[in-house]
């Protein structure tokens, strides 16, 4: 019997991989879009629906980055509305621990858990980004080194608030005195169906992994290849014992993309077509500008790579992390371009992330199953390239095969997200 797989649906949001030019693309704001993807996920018996968060519109070269998604509504409000049109699907909101307060957020999460009868989850993210901080009263005040100190105390404090009501419905005063928060009073929301909403962590540094091992129920990770996934999985699971936790107490779910076709060859062709849509000529220049850190609008995307050095420490893009050493990236791009005779746009297509699983439904189902069996993941957060119909094929054609082989549930067996994920009930600490 294969190990049980967990699946989540990521609503395509702030990223450069959503294809807006496709005639099937619809609004990322209208409730009907959220509802359609959530209903598809629930039809597929997914564990949860996932909303990312971006607290400031990204800017590029001093202007709002309108090749990206521009604008999105607040996650918990959307999820409260989805609770009314779904029945079993978990509802996960990404909410920043840097720009919120435990009392207020614990209340909102406990409320979603009540309204959804035990389906709430919180993806705890951190940010020290002063650009985002300008939107808030205490703009940019948090030192990078303190992000996880605050996040860990935030989660611990929220759990104290959730535990301040007894399971039989009596409220007790709470008092928390720490380095980040000193608060006391009475919590307004009775203990919710899950006791504690599910906590997800997304962050890859050593501190991020340690925080996840100590406090999270799920990790959302970028390590979506078999090799990188296995290394990450072993690393994180090995950290749990120090906190008195079992390997099954923390589920590891990489964000992945899937392209299917009737045959493997057709899927490969579709995947290449999607990559060409994702990396339009305009987007190729923009991606190159993020690497070079300078204006490249004078260059032809169908011509050779820019013949200049990158600018270190550039702030051409605001609100997006610049990964790695730009000199090393440019050198790698030049090598690929020269070896294969590729234009700038073709080089971007070749070197930036391609789809993770490409093949016939049977090929994709088998690969997903082997990732879980080989302990590269406990499941997957699927990131479609179309809003909101991007998971239709997966749910209609891949899920039935996973169900047939016993790799994935055919019916929900419980009603809470915690039960879908096979997580232990939180112990009440009164
Ligand atoms: C897979 C993944 C998804 C993330 N999603 C978000 C998000 O939706 N919103 C956000 O503000 N930060 C998001 N983050 C950023 C993290 O919260 C964190 O700020 C960043 O990874 C840097 O932390 P680290 O040094 O521990 O990796 C995400 C990170 C990862 C790895």
């Amino acid at each position: 019997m294969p190990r049980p797989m967990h699946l989540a649906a990521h609503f395509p949001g702030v990223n450069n991989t959503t294809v807006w030019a496709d005639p099937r693309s619809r609004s990322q704001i209208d409730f009907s879009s959220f509802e359609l993807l959530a209903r598809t996920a629930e039809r597929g018996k997914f564990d949860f629906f996932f909303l990312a968060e971006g607290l400031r519109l990204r800017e590029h070269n001093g202007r709002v980055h309108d090749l990206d998604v521009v604008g999105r509504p607040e996650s918990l409000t959307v999820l409260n509305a989805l609770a009314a049109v779904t029945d079993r699907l978990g509802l996960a909101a990404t909410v920043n621990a840097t720009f919120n307060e435990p009392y207020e957020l614990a209340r909102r999460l406990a409320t979603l858990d009540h309204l959804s009868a035990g389906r709430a989850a919180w993806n705890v993210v951190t940010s020290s980004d002063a650009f985002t901080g300008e939107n808030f009263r205490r703009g940019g005040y948090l030192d990078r080194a303190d992000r996880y100190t605050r996040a860990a105390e935030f989660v611990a404090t929220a759990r104290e608030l959730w535990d301040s009501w007894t399971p039989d419905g009596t409220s007790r005063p709470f008092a928390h005195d720490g380095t980040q928060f000193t608060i006391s009073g009475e919590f307004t929301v009775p203990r919710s169906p899950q006791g504690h909403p599910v906590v997800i962590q997304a962050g890859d540094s050593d501190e991020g992994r340690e925080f996840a091992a100590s406090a999270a129920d799920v990790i959302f990770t970028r390590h979506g290849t078999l090799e990188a996934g296995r290394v990450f999985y072993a690393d994180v699971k090995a950290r749990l014992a120090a906190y008195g936790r079992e390997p099954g107490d923390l589920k590891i779910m990489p964000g992945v993309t899937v392209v299917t076709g009737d045959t493997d060859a057709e899927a490969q062709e579709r995947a290449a077509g999607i990559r060409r849509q994702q990396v339009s000529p305009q987007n190729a220049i923009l991606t190159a500008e993020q690497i070079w850190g300078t204006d490249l609008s004078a260059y032809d995307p169908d011509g050779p790579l820019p013949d200049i050095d990158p600018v270190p420490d550039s702030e051409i893009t605001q609100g997006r992390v610049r990964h790695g050493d730009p000199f090393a990236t440019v050198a790698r791009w030049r090598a690929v371009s020269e070896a294969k005779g590729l234009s700038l746009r073709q080089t971007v297509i070749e070197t930036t992330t391609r789809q993770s699983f490409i093949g016939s439904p049977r090929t994709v189902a088998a690969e997903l199953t082997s990732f879980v069996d080989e302990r590269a993941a406990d499941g997957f957060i699927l990131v479609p390239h179309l809003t909101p119909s991007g998971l239709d094929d997966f749910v209609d054609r891949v899920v039935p095969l996973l169900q047939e082989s016993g790799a994935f549930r055919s019916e929900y067996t419980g009603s809470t997200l915690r039960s879908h994920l096979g997580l232990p009930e939180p112990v009440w600490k009164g």
Side-chain angles (χ1 to χ4, degrees):
M1 197 65 179
R3 288 193 331 121
M5 182 186 297
H6 300 285
L7 292 174
H10 184 292
F11 187 84
V14 176
N15 59 46
N16 54 359
T17 53
T18 307
V19 173
W20 298 105
D22 191 294
R24 290 167 293 176
S25 287
R26 299 225 307 265
S27 166
Q28 83 283 12
I29 305 282
D30 276 1
F31 182 64
S32 61
S33 292
F34 295 106
E35 184 179 9
L36 194 140
L37 188 71
R39 284 191 189 276
T40 306
E42 190 160 74
R43 180 159 56 83
K45 315 293 176 200
F46 277 34
D47 294 71
F48 60 94
F49 174 93
F50 182 91
L51 288 174
E53 179 182 74
L55 288 174
R56 182 161 176 181
L57 295 182
R58 286 172 179 168
E59 288 181 17
H60 184 79
N61 228 349
R63 294 206 317 270
V64 166
H65 182 13
D66 59 6
L67 287 178
D68 227 337
V69 176
V70 170
R72 77 167 133 205
E74 189 280 315
S75 302
L76 279 162
T77 310
V78 173
L79 296 183
N80 282 316
L82 286 178
V85 297
T86 52
D87 186 37
R88 298 294 181 93
L89 185 67
L91 301 166
T94 299
V95 187
N96 206 300
T98 304
F99 303 116
N100 285 282
E101 294 295 322
Y103 187 89
E104 177 54 17
L105 185 58
R107 242 162 65 80
R108 290 163 62 207
L109 287 161
T111 303
L112 175 63
D113 208 43
H114 277 289
L115 293 179
S116 64
R119 299 185 279 137
W122 168 27
N123 178 33
V124 185
V125 291
T126 58
S127 175
S128 60
D129 177 1
F131 172 76
T132 305
E134 283 172 5
N135 275 347
F136 296 87
R137 182 168 54 93
R138 300 185 183 97
Y141 75 101
L142 193 61
D143 233 41
R144 194 179 155 76
D146 291 336
R147 292 174 313 145
Y148 283 112
T149 311
R150 181 177 166 103
E153 194 174 320
F154 199 126
V155 173
T157 309
R159 286 180 171 149
E160 286 165 27
L161 296 171
W162 292 328
D163 280 345
S164 71
W165 283 69
T166 64
D168 62 14
T170 316
S171 105
R172 299 177 173 194
F174 69 84
H176 176 94
D177 188 7
T179 61
Q180 305 296 311
F181 311 103
T182 299
I183 55 174
S184 60
E186 299 252 356
F187 192 55
T188 53
V189 188
R191 193 171 176 82
S192 70
Q194 293 188 105
H196 298 170
V198 169
V199 169
I200 306 171
Q201 187 272 356
D204 200 28
S205 58
D206 195 58
E207 303 99 288
R209 294 179 189 203
E210 211 54 38
F211 165 53
S214 71
D217 301 306
V218 176
I219 296 188
F220 176 21
T221 166
R222 291 200 174 95
H223 299 287
T225 63
L226 187 61
E227 268 324 296
R230 286 170 74 171
V231 172
F232 181 79
Y233 192 99
D235 175 278
V236 171
K237 297 270 177 170
R239 295 173 191 249
L240 289 166
Y243 301 98
R245 304 181 73 202
E246 301 290 327
D249 294 352
L250 176 63
K251 307 296 179 197
I252 297 180
M253 300 180 69
V256 299
T257 52
V258 173
V259 181
T260 56
D262 287 346
T263 61
D264 289 351
E266 189 192 302
Q268 290 290 350
E269 211 170 290
R270 284 188 65 199
I274 293 165
R275 291 293 293 140
R276 282 194 293 275
Q277 286 181 304
Q278 287 172 329
V279 186
S280 64
Q282 203 187 355
N283 231 322
I285 292 290
L286 212 126
T287 307
E289 287 181 342
Q290 287 170 9
I291 305 292
W292 263 267
T294 190
D295 186 337
L296 300 176
S297 52
Y299 288 83
D300 177 3
D302 297 320
L305 299 195
D307 48 1
I308 52 173
D309 280 338
V311 178
D313 306 320
S314 155
E315 293 199 340
I316 191 166
T317 303
Q318 294 273 30
R320 179 196 289 274
V321 185
R322 200 175 179 211
H323 292 289
D325 167 17
F327 287 88
T329 309
V330 167
R332 190 163 55 82
W333 282 27
R334 286 202 200 290
V336 170
S337 165
E338 275 161 33
K340 301 191 176 180
L342 302 180
S343 68
L344 172 57
R345 181 175 172 214
Q346 289 167 328
T347 308
V348 176
I349 292 175
E350 185 73 16
T351 52
T352 54
T353 321
R354 63 186 62 234
Q355 296 92 346
S356 339
F357 296 93
I358 305 172
S360 69
R362 204 158 285 285
T363 301
V364 168
E367 279 186 18
L368 292 171
T369 307
S370 77
F371 262 58
V372 173
D373 283 342
E374 294 189 34
R375 291 179 162 71
D378 293 312
F380 306 93
I381 297 186
L382 300 177
V383 187
H385 75 280
L386 287 184
T387 303
S389 57
L391 288 181
D392 290 2
D393 273 356
F394 185 87
V395 166
D396 292 336
R397 305 185 69 191
V398 181
V399 167
L401 298 176
L402 295 170
Q403 291 172 328
E404 203 178 282
S405 69
F408 188 62
R409 70 176 70 83
S410 295
E411 281 306 328
Y412 290 110
T413 50
S415 59
T416 65
L417 175 55
R418 225 165 242 290
S419 81
H420 305 338
L421 289 167
L423 292 168
E425 293 285 310
V427 179
W428 179 67
K429 297 198 186 99

